[in-house]
Amino acid sequence: MTSVSPVPPVPDAAEAPMTRRYVAVVVVEVVVLLGLWLLQRAFS
Amino acid sequence: MHWIDWLIIIVYLAYIVYDGVRRSEATHEIEGYFLANRTLPWWAVGLSVMATQLSAITMVGTTGQGATDGLRFVQFYFGLPLAMIVLSVTVVPFFHRARVFTAYEYLERRFDAKTRAFTSLLFLLSRGMSCGVIISAPAVILSIMLGWSLPVAVLLIGAPAALYTMIGGVQAVTWTDVKQMVLIVLGLVAVLAALIAGLPGEVSLTGALDLAGATGRLQAFDFSFELTETYTFWSGLLGGFFLMLSYFGADQSQVQRYLTARSENEARSSLLMSAFWKIPLQALVLIIGVLVFVFYLFTPQPMLFNPVHEQRVRESDRAGDYRGIEREFAAALSDRRAAALAYLAADAAEADGTSEAERRFVAANANVADLRDRATDVVRAVTGDSTYRDVNYIFPTFVLGHLPVGLVGLLVAAIMAAAMSSISAELNSLSTATVIDFYRRHFRPAATDRHYLAVSKLATGFWGAFACLVAVYATSLGSLIEVVNRFGSFFYGSILGVFILAILTRRATGHGAFAGLLAGMVSVAAVATFRPDISFLWHNVVGAGVVVIVGLTVSAALRARS
């Protein structure tokens, strides 16, 4: 019984990290949820 | 329907089949047929990911849910953006660099053949049946609303999708998904505009939202931590997070979408498109439902929205009861309309009696809902169907009865597009798993590419025919489908657990992962059986958690023994 390393082949060096895009996703989600919450507050 | 609406539907069907079939020119080998030679741009893949997730059930069911229950269902998607980030960081590079055709293929490289075969088989069983349900749900509704026979409705939706997927492969799936997604969004925006334009002169959009808000339909958040409440902020954020990880990370119908992207980052970008747009899109669908509710405050609505069931009640020995409720209902509708107008007038004048007027409107609305419940009980007694609800018929009734000529055809085409875009992706992935994980792996490992291409097309056709058959018999297979759906929910989170073991740990072994998978499925089945009140959104958390714990424990124990 062997344990195999889960590490996949070498990454493509040309691929730039997408950290900014991930931060943008979180920011947009917070803004959308805030909008829904304000809609709920304004008309309840 | 007007002939112009028919023309729009016919043009849509003809164009989408032509557009799909012509993609076969670029598909001469199996990697092209299943993965478009990994050359597709992120935006096309991203739209395909969204179109695959958005089925006709979303178009008719979620709008109905918005009309009856308001915005709370949007919480279901709160975990999606975070799941997409996690998948972009973890799963996408693994699958992309491993150059696999299926997600399960990776499990053999990491663990063993039995884990791959078992997970792939579970996928085939559940997706094969669910594909039938995806055809059946809109087919049943369209057949009832438009007077088509059920087999005709099933064939109108299922056959074109099966045909272009079979001939054009993933290229056909993706590029038709792009157009279908555009059609769906166009249809939704058009119906939103029609709803706003169709408000009575004395009702502004703010007034409409006031009325919806008074009945709690703009209540999008429920912060209670109740495991038995299906849609809460926490079940959506945590349970939804695990569900979306399973769906986008371990379900071949979605994994195959982003395997077609031309680079790792393009695959990530395609997933992030859903992360940005899914919640706003679902909110739009639900708000359309909420505005349909407001629309029916000022326009007479049927007491029940499913005309076939209503007809059965009228012909039964409970017809007298039903007519009695109907008389009360007509009076209740007129009371509710007057109360709504009085509330808006008091609100506009900021008069002292605003809260009293609001209370009266809410009570009048509750009375209408109560009468609908009583009528529903009569239908249940007459038909013997204890689960009967007519929520899915509210939006089609509005579309067919109140939208102008042209828009009706556009919306019916959009509902069909939503169904076909999901079906095509599922047929394509079912064929891939059949051929790559079973046929090529176990039966004919060394055949020519041409042979595999021919078998892949046959497999797509087989799954298309199977899905149409399930769809035609879905109403009589009701309990069987429920069993399959329940069975599916037992292993969804568990398969995610296996991928977590595969990607995030070095210590897990094949036997450990397999034992974990079985333990996870049994645990979820136990929770669902002994605590049926716990929301299904938590099943995935339980499944994934048990698989990881048992998988690591068994792996460690076996390693110590050897």
Side-chain angles (χ1 to χ4, degrees), chain B residues 288-322:
Chain B
I288 286 172
V290 169
L291 288 178
V292 168
F293 160 75
V294 176
F295 174 84
Y296 279 125
L297 291 177
F298 302 102
T299 306
Q301 69 171 73
M303 187 160 68
L304 294 178
F305 287 88
N306 179 334
V308 168
H309 281 77
E310 192 186 37
Q311 192 56 35
R312 279 186 69 180
V313 174
R314 285 190 196 287
E315 290 162 0
S316 74
D317 56 359
R318 299 288 301 272
D321 294 348
Y322 191 76

mmCIF file of all heavy atoms in Angstrom, chain B residues 288-322:
data_model
loop_
_atom_site.group_PDB
_atom_site.id
_atom_site.type_symbol
_atom_site.label_atom_id
_atom_site.label_comp_id
_atom_site.label_asym_id
_atom_site.label_seq_id
_atom_site.Cartn_x
_atom_site.Cartn_y
_atom_site.Cartn_z
ATOM 1 N N ILE B 288 -38.099 39.067 -9.975
ATOM 2 C CA ILE B 288 -39.147 38.914 -11.001
ATOM 3 C C ILE B 288 -40.352 38.186 -10.383
ATOM 4 O O ILE B 288 -41.499 38.586 -10.567
ATOM 5 C CB ILE B 288 -38.587 38.157 -12.231
ATOM 6 C CG1 ILE B 288 -37.670 39.096 -13.015
ATOM 7 C CG2 ILE B 288 -39.715 37.632 -13.123
ATOM 8 C CD1 ILE B 288 -36.899 38.427 -14.126
ATOM 9 N N GLY B 289 -40.063 37.130 -9.621
ATOM 10 C CA GLY B 289 -41.148 36.406 -8.943
ATOM 11 C C GLY B 289 -41.900 37.298 -7.978
ATOM 12 O O GLY B 289 -43.136 37.275 -7.925
ATOM 13 N N VAL B 290 -41.162 38.114 -7.218
ATOM 14 C CA VAL B 290 -41.795 39.035 -6.262
ATOM 15 C C VAL B 290 -42.704 40.018 -7.006
ATOM 16 O O VAL B 290 -43.835 40.296 -6.577
ATOM 17 C CB VAL B 290 -40.703 39.792 -5.453
ATOM 18 C CG1 VAL B 290 -41.320 40.936 -4.664
ATOM 19 C CG2 VAL B 290 -39.965 38.835 -4.520
ATOM 20 N N LEU B 291 -42.226 40.519 -8.159
ATOM 21 C CA LEU B 291 -43.047 41.479 -8.918
ATOM 22 C C LEU B 291 -44.262 40.793 -9.568
ATOM 23 O O LEU B 291 -45.291 41.429 -9.783
ATOM 24 C CB LEU B 291 -42.187 42.188 -9.974
ATOM 25 C CG LEU B 291 -41.186 43.197 -9.398
ATOM 26 C CD1 LEU B 291 -40.333 43.813 -10.497
ATOM 27 C CD2 LEU B 291 -41.891 44.303 -8.604
ATOM 28 N N VAL B 292 -44.127 39.491 -9.869
ATOM 29 C CA VAL B 292 -45.310 38.750 -10.361
ATOM 30 C C VAL B 292 -46.365 38.709 -9.251
ATOM 31 O O VAL B 292 -47.561 38.885 -9.508
ATOM 32 C CB VAL B 292 -44.921 37.322 -10.817
ATOM 33 C CG1 VAL B 292 -46.168 36.464 -11.052
ATOM 34 C CG2 VAL B 292 -44.086 37.371 -12.080
ATOM 35 N N PHE B 293 -45.898 38.532 -8.012
ATOM 36 C CA PHE B 293 -46.834 38.574 -6.864
ATOM 37 C C PHE B 293 -47.537 39.938 -6.822
ATOM 38 O O PHE B 293 -48.762 40.007 -6.686
ATOM 39 C CB PHE B 293 -46.063 38.322 -5.560
ATOM 40 C CG PHE B 293 -46.784 38.807 -4.328
ATOM 41 C CD1 PHE B 293 -47.878 38.101 -3.815
ATOM 42 C CD2 PHE B 293 -46.391 39.983 -3.681
ATOM 43 C CE1 PHE B 293 -48.552 38.566 -2.689
ATOM 44 C CE2 PHE B 293 -47.060 40.441 -2.559
ATOM 45 C CZ PHE B 293 -48.151 39.739 -2.058
ATOM 46 N N VAL B 294 -46.759 41.018 -6.949
ATOM 47 C CA VAL B 294 -47.348 42.363 -6.908
ATOM 48 C C VAL B 294 -48.320 42.549 -8.082
ATOM 49 O O VAL B 294 -49.413 43.107 -7.920
ATOM 50 C CB VAL B 294 -46.249 43.452 -6.927
ATOM 51 C CG1 VAL B 294 -46.871 44.849 -6.985
ATOM 52 C CG2 VAL B 294 -45.349 43.324 -5.705
ATOM 53 N N PHE B 295 -47.926 42.041 -9.254
ATOM 54 C CA PHE B 295 -48.779 42.143 -10.441
ATOM 55 C C PHE B 295 -50.160 41.540 -10.157
ATOM 56 O O PHE B 295 -51.194 42.130 -10.479
ATOM 57 C CB PHE B 295 -48.105 41.419 -11.610
ATOM 58 C CG PHE B 295 -48.938 41.339 -12.849
ATOM 59 C CD1 PHE B 295 -48.965 42.390 -13.755
ATOM 60 C CD2 PHE B 295 -49.732 40.221 -13.116
ATOM 61 C CE1 PHE B 295 -49.751 42.324 -14.903
ATOM 62 C CE2 PHE B 295 -50.516 40.150 -14.249
ATOM 63 C CZ PHE B 295 -50.527 41.208 -15.149
ATOM 64 N N TYR B 296 -50.162 40.367 -9.514
ATOM 65 C CA TYR B 296 -51.437 39.686 -9.250
ATOM 66 C C TYR B 296 -52.224 40.311 -8.087
ATOM 67 O O TYR B 296 -53.340 39.895 -7.821
ATOM 68 C CB TYR B 296 -51.212 38.194 -9.013
ATOM 69 C CG TYR B 296 -51.076 37.409 -10.307
ATOM 70 C CD1 TYR B 296 -49.973 36.609 -10.545
ATOM 71 C CD2 TYR B 296 -52.061 37.470 -11.289
ATOM 72 C CE1 TYR B 296 -49.853 35.884 -11.735
ATOM 73 C CE2 TYR B 296 -51.951 36.770 -12.476
ATOM 74 C CZ TYR B 296 -50.840 35.975 -12.687
ATOM 75 O OH TYR B 296 -50.741 35.271 -13.870
ATOM 76 N N LEU B 297 -51.637 41.304 -7.429
ATOM 77 C CA LEU B 297 -52.440 42.046 -6.440
ATOM 78 C C LEU B 297 -53.485 42.900 -7.154
ATOM 79 O O LEU B 297 -54.531 43.210 -6.603
ATOM 80 C CB LEU B 297 -51.543 42.976 -5.603
ATOM 81 C CG LEU B 297 -50.549 42.344 -4.622
ATOM 82 C CD1 LEU B 297 -49.725 43.433 -3.956
ATOM 83 C CD2 LEU B 297 -51.274 41.509 -3.578
ATOM 84 N N PHE B 298 -53.161 43.303 -8.393
ATOM 85 C CA PHE B 298 -54.031 44.240 -9.115
ATOM 86 C C PHE B 298 -54.692 43.614 -10.341
ATOM 87 O O PHE B 298 -55.434 44.274 -11.049
ATOM 88 C CB PHE B 298 -53.229 45.475 -9.520
ATOM 89 C CG PHE B 298 -52.613 46.153 -8.331
ATOM 90 C CD1 PHE B 298 -51.260 45.981 -8.038
ATOM 91 C CD2 PHE B 298 -53.388 46.904 -7.468
ATOM 92 C CE1 PHE B 298 -50.702 46.570 -6.914
ATOM 93 C CE2 PHE B 298 -52.833 47.494 -6.339
ATOM 94 C CZ PHE B 298 -51.484 47.325 -6.063
ATOM 95 N N THR B 299 -54.348 42.375 -10.629
ATOM 96 C CA THR B 299 -54.937 41.669 -11.767
ATOM 97 C C THR B 299 -55.512 40.365 -11.230
ATOM 98 O O THR B 299 -54.811 39.661 -10.492
ATOM 99 C CB THR B 299 -53.834 41.343 -12.816
ATOM 100 O OG1 THR B 299 -53.178 42.552 -13.134
ATOM 101 C CG2 THR B 299 -54.416 40.713 -14.058
ATOM 102 N N PRO B 300 -56.744 40.033 -11.572
ATOM 103 C CA PRO B 300 -57.325 38.787 -11.036
ATOM 104 C C PRO B 300 -56.451 37.577 -11.347
ATOM 105 O O PRO B 300 -55.984 37.428 -12.474
ATOM 106 C CB PRO B 300 -58.668 38.689 -11.760
ATOM 107 C CG PRO B 300 -58.974 40.086 -12.166
ATOM 108 C CD PRO B 300 -57.677 40.770 -12.416
ATOM 109 N N GLN B 301 -56.201 36.781 -10.328
ATOM 110 C CA GLN B 301 -55.365 35.590 -10.513
ATOM 111 C C GLN B 301 -56.221 34.348 -10.362
ATOM 112 O O GLN B 301 -57.254 34.383 -9.681
ATOM 113 C CB GLN B 301 -54.241 35.575 -9.476
ATOM 114 C CG GLN B 301 -54.728 35.336 -8.043
ATOM 115 C CD GLN B 301 -53.580 35.113 -7.080
ATOM 116 O OE1 GLN B 301 -52.873 36.045 -6.731
ATOM 117 N NE2 GLN B 301 -53.407 33.866 -6.660
ATOM 118 N N PRO B 302 -55.817 33.265 -11.019
ATOM 119 C CA PRO B 302 -56.558 32.019 -10.790
ATOM 120 C C PRO B 302 -56.318 31.543 -9.354
ATOM 121 O O PRO B 302 -55.269 31.849 -8.777
ATOM 122 C CB PRO B 302 -55.940 31.041 -11.799
ATOM 123 C CG PRO B 302 -54.634 31.627 -12.177
ATOM 124 C CD PRO B 302 -54.694 33.093 -11.939
ATOM 125 N N MET B 303 -57.287 30.817 -8.799
ATOM 126 C CA MET B 303 -57.083 30.349 -7.425
ATOM 127 C C MET B 303 -55.954 29.311 -7.405
ATOM 128 O O MET B 303 -55.106 29.319 -6.526
ATOM 129 C CB MET B 303 -58.370 29.737 -6.884
ATOM 130 C CG MET B 303 -58.273 29.395 -5.421
ATOM 131 S SD MET B 303 -59.878 29.231 -4.655
ATOM 132 C CE MET B 303 -60.521 27.762 -5.420
ATOM 133 N N LEU B 304 -55.955 28.448 -8.427
ATOM 134 C CA LEU B 304 -54.854 27.494 -8.576
ATOM 135 C C LEU B 304 -54.243 27.695 -9.958
ATOM 136 O O LEU B 304 -54.962 27.946 -10.920
ATOM 137 C CB LEU B 304 -55.347 26.062 -8.421
ATOM 138 C CG LEU B 304 -55.867 25.688 -7.032
ATOM 139 C CD1 LEU B 304 -56.361 24.256 -7.026
ATOM 140 C CD2 LEU B 304 -54.800 25.876 -5.960
ATOM 141 N N PHE B 305 -52.926 27.558 -10.033
ATOM 142 C CA PHE B 305 -52.252 27.885 -11.287
ATOM 143 C C PHE B 305 -52.060 26.678 -12.207
ATOM 144 O O PHE B 305 -51.571 26.841 -13.314
ATOM 145 C CB PHE B 305 -50.897 28.530 -10.984
ATOM 146 C CG PHE B 305 -51.016 29.942 -10.467
ATOM 147 C CD1 PHE B 305 -51.167 30.199 -9.116
ATOM 148 C CD2 PHE B 305 -51.004 31.024 -11.344
ATOM 149 C CE1 PHE B 305 -51.287 31.498 -8.638
ATOM 150 C CE2 PHE B 305 -51.120 32.323 -10.884
ATOM 151 C CZ PHE B 305 -51.263 32.565 -9.519
ATOM 152 N N ASN B 306 -52.393 25.488 -11.737
ATOM 153 C CA ASN B 306 -52.251 24.304 -12.588
ATOM 154 C C ASN B 306 -53.629 23.933 -13.140
ATOM 155 O O ASN B 306 -54.462 23.364 -12.432
ATOM 156 C CB ASN B 306 -51.672 23.149 -11.760
ATOM 157 C CG ASN B 306 -51.507 21.872 -12.574
ATOM 158 O OD1 ASN B 306 -52.212 21.652 -13.559
ATOM 159 N ND2 ASN B 306 -50.576 21.030 -12.163
ATOM 160 N N PRO B 307 -53.907 24.251 -14.418
ATOM 161 C CA PRO B 307 -55.264 24.079 -14.949
ATOM 162 C C PRO B 307 -55.719 22.623 -15.007
ATOM 163 O O PRO B 307 -56.913 22.354 -14.890
ATOM 164 C CB PRO B 307 -55.178 24.681 -16.361
ATOM 165 C CG PRO B 307 -53.733 24.781 -16.678
ATOM 166 C CD PRO B 307 -52.979 24.824 -15.398
ATOM 167 N N VAL B 308 -54.796 21.687 -15.179
ATOM 168 C CA VAL B 308 -55.194 20.280 -15.294
ATOM 169 C C VAL B 308 -55.740 19.758 -13.962
ATOM 170 O O VAL B 308 -56.794 19.129 -13.900
ATOM 171 C CB VAL B 308 -54.011 19.416 -15.782
ATOM 172 C CG1 VAL B 308 -54.310 17.939 -15.630
ATOM 173 C CG2 VAL B 308 -53.712 19.727 -17.245
ATOM 174 N N HIS B 309 -55.021 20.073 -12.892
ATOM 175 C CA HIS B 309 -55.486 19.627 -11.579
ATOM 176 C C HIS B 309 -56.805 20.303 -11.218
ATOM 177 O O HIS B 309 -57.691 19.693 -10.625
ATOM 178 C CB HIS B 309 -54.434 19.920 -10.508
ATOM 179 C CG HIS B 309 -53.332 18.919 -10.495
ATOM 180 N ND1 HIS B 309 -52.328 18.928 -11.442
ATOM 181 C CD2 HIS B 309 -53.078 17.863 -9.691
ATOM 182 C CE1 HIS B 309 -51.509 17.919 -11.205
ATOM 183 N NE2 HIS B 309 -51.942 17.262 -10.145
ATOM 184 N N GLU B 310 -56.903 21.579 -11.587
ATOM 185 C CA GLU B 310 -58.128 22.310 -11.293
ATOM 186 C C GLU B 310 -59.316 21.638 -11.994
ATOM 187 O O GLU B 310 -60.386 21.459 -11.416
ATOM 188 C CB GLU B 310 -57.988 23.766 -11.749
ATOM 189 C CG GLU B 310 -59.105 24.614 -11.206
ATOM 190 C CD GLU B 310 -59.092 26.013 -11.755
ATOM 191 O OE1 GLU B 310 -58.778 26.191 -12.942
ATOM 192 O OE2 GLU B 310 -59.416 26.936 -10.987
ATOM 193 N N GLN B 311 -59.091 21.239 -13.254
ATOM 194 C CA GLN B 311 -60.152 20.595 -14.026
ATOM 195 C C GLN B 311 -60.582 19.283 -13.365
ATOM 196 O O GLN B 311 -61.780 18.976 -13.290
ATOM 197 C CB GLN B 311 -59.632 20.348 -15.458
ATOM 198 C CG GLN B 311 -60.701 19.951 -16.459
ATOM 199 C CD GLN B 311 -61.831 20.981 -16.538
ATOM 200 O OE1 GLN B 311 -61.605 22.190 -16.402
ATOM 201 N NE2 GLN B 311 -63.059 20.492 -16.700
ATOM 202 N N ARG B 312 -59.604 18.543 -12.859
ATOM 203 C CA ARG B 312 -59.924 17.261 -12.198
ATOM 204 C C ARG B 312 -60.809 17.498 -10.970
ATOM 205 O O ARG B 312 -61.725 16.723 -10.700
ATOM 206 C CB ARG B 312 -58.640 16.543 -11.774
ATOM 207 C CG ARG B 312 -58.000 15.789 -12.920
ATOM 208 C CD ARG B 312 -56.816 14.979 -12.444
ATOM 209 N NE ARG B 312 -57.182 13.852 -11.590
ATOM 210 C CZ ARG B 312 -56.301 13.019 -11.065
ATOM 211 N NH1 ARG B 312 -55.017 13.181 -11.305
ATOM 212 N NH2 ARG B 312 -56.688 12.025 -10.285
ATOM 213 N N VAL B 313 -60.515 18.586 -10.240
ATOM 214 C CA VAL B 313 -61.318 18.882 -9.050
ATOM 215 C C VAL B 313 -62.739 19.253 -9.461
ATOM 216 O O VAL B 313 -63.716 18.807 -8.861
ATOM 217 C CB VAL B 313 -60.675 20.027 -8.242
ATOM 218 C CG1 VAL B 313 -61.586 20.440 -7.093
ATOM 219 C CG2 VAL B 313 -59.328 19.589 -7.698
ATOM 220 N N ARG B 314 -62.866 20.038 -10.547
ATOM 221 C CA ARG B 314 -64.200 20.471 -10.999
ATOM 222 C C ARG B 314 -65.059 19.283 -11.431
ATOM 223 O O ARG B 314 -66.271 19.340 -11.409
ATOM 224 C CB ARG B 314 -64.058 21.458 -12.162
ATOM 225 C CG ARG B 314 -63.602 22.835 -11.739
ATOM 226 C CD ARG B 314 -63.714 23.810 -12.900
ATOM 227 N NE ARG B 314 -62.940 25.012 -12.635
ATOM 228 C CZ ARG B 314 -63.277 25.949 -11.764
ATOM 229 N NH1 ARG B 314 -64.400 25.839 -11.082
ATOM 230 N NH2 ARG B 314 -62.510 27.009 -11.573
ATOM 231 N N GLU B 315 -64.388 18.216 -11.882
ATOM 232 C CA GLU B 315 -65.144 17.043 -12.342
ATOM 233 C C GLU B 315 -65.338 16.007 -11.218
ATOM 234 O O GLU B 315 -65.913 14.939 -11.449
ATOM 235 C CB GLU B 315 -64.410 16.386 -13.523
ATOM 236 C CG GLU B 315 -64.462 17.239 -14.787
ATOM 237 C CD GLU B 315 -63.413 16.838 -15.810
ATOM 238 O OE1 GLU B 315 -62.645 15.887 -15.544
ATOM 239 O OE2 GLU B 315 -63.353 17.501 -16.862
ATOM 240 N N SER B 316 -64.827 16.310 -10.029
ATOM 241 C CA SER B 316 -64.902 15.327 -8.937
ATOM 242 C C SER B 316 -66.114 15.605 -8.038
ATOM 243 O O SER B 316 -66.831 16.594 -8.226
ATOM 244 C CB SER B 316 -63.626 15.405 -8.096
ATOM 245 O OG SER B 316 -63.665 16.567 -7.314
ATOM 246 N N ASP B 317 -66.296 14.736 -7.033
ATOM 247 C CA ASP B 317 -67.424 14.956 -6.119
ATOM 248 C C ASP B 317 -67.121 16.084 -5.115
ATOM 249 O O ASP B 317 -67.972 16.414 -4.287
ATOM 250 C CB ASP B 317 -67.778 13.656 -5.390
ATOM 251 C CG ASP B 317 -66.593 13.063 -4.652
ATOM 252 O OD1 ASP B 317 -65.501 13.673 -4.748
ATOM 253 O OD2 ASP B 317 -66.741 12.011 -4.003
ATOM 254 N N ARG B 318 -65.914 16.665 -5.166
ATOM 255 C CA ARG B 318 -65.596 17.807 -4.302
ATOM 256 C C ARG B 318 -65.803 19.132 -5.046
ATOM 257 O O ARG B 318 -65.376 20.182 -4.554
ATOM 258 C CB ARG B 318 -64.132 17.725 -3.816
ATOM 259 C CG ARG B 318 -63.778 16.499 -2.989
ATOM 260 C CD ARG B 318 -64.379 16.547 -1.586
ATOM 261 N NE ARG B 318 -63.966 17.707 -0.810
ATOM 262 C CZ ARG B 318 -62.870 17.753 -0.060
ATOM 263 N NH1 ARG B 318 -62.074 16.713 0.002
ATOM 264 N NH2 ARG B 318 -62.579 18.844 0.636
ATOM 265 N N ALA B 319 -66.409 19.073 -6.232
ATOM 266 C CA ALA B 319 -66.575 20.288 -7.046
ATOM 267 C C ALA B 319 -67.351 21.362 -6.286
ATOM 268 O O ALA B 319 -67.051 22.568 -6.388
ATOM 269 C CB ALA B 319 -67.265 19.949 -8.359
ATOM 270 N N GLY B 320 -68.355 20.930 -5.500
ATOM 271 C CA GLY B 320 -69.170 21.883 -4.740
ATOM 272 C C GLY B 320 -68.318 22.642 -3.727
ATOM 273 O O GLY B 320 -68.397 23.871 -3.633
ATOM 274 N N ASP B 321 -67.471 21.890 -2.978
ATOM 275 C CA ASP B 321 -66.569 22.521 -2.000
ATOM 276 C C ASP B 321 -65.691 23.549 -2.705
ATOM 277 O O ASP B 321 -65.471 24.661 -2.228
ATOM 278 C CB ASP B 321 -65.615 21.485 -1.371
ATOM 279 C CG ASP B 321 -66.372 20.479 -0.522
ATOM 280 O OD1 ASP B 321 -67.555 20.743 -0.253
ATOM 281 O OD2 ASP B 321 -65.763 19.450 -0.163
ATOM 282 N N TYR B 322 -65.182 23.096 -3.859
ATOM 283 C CA TYR B 322 -64.234 23.937 -4.583
ATOM 284 C C TYR B 322 -64.895 25.247 -5.033
ATOM 285 O O TYR B 322 -64.313 26.324 -4.896
ATOM 286 C CB TYR B 322 -63.687 23.166 -5.792
ATOM 287 C CG TYR B 322 -62.517 23.841 -6.464
ATOM 288 C CD1 TYR B 322 -61.249 23.805 -5.888
ATOM 289 C CD2 TYR B 322 -62.672 24.515 -7.670
ATOM 290 C CE1 TYR B 322 -60.177 24.428 -6.491
ATOM 291 C CE2 TYR B 322 -61.606 25.140 -8.281
ATOM 292 C CZ TYR B 322 -60.360 25.086 -7.695
ATOM 293 O OH TYR B 322 -59.295 25.718 -8.292
#
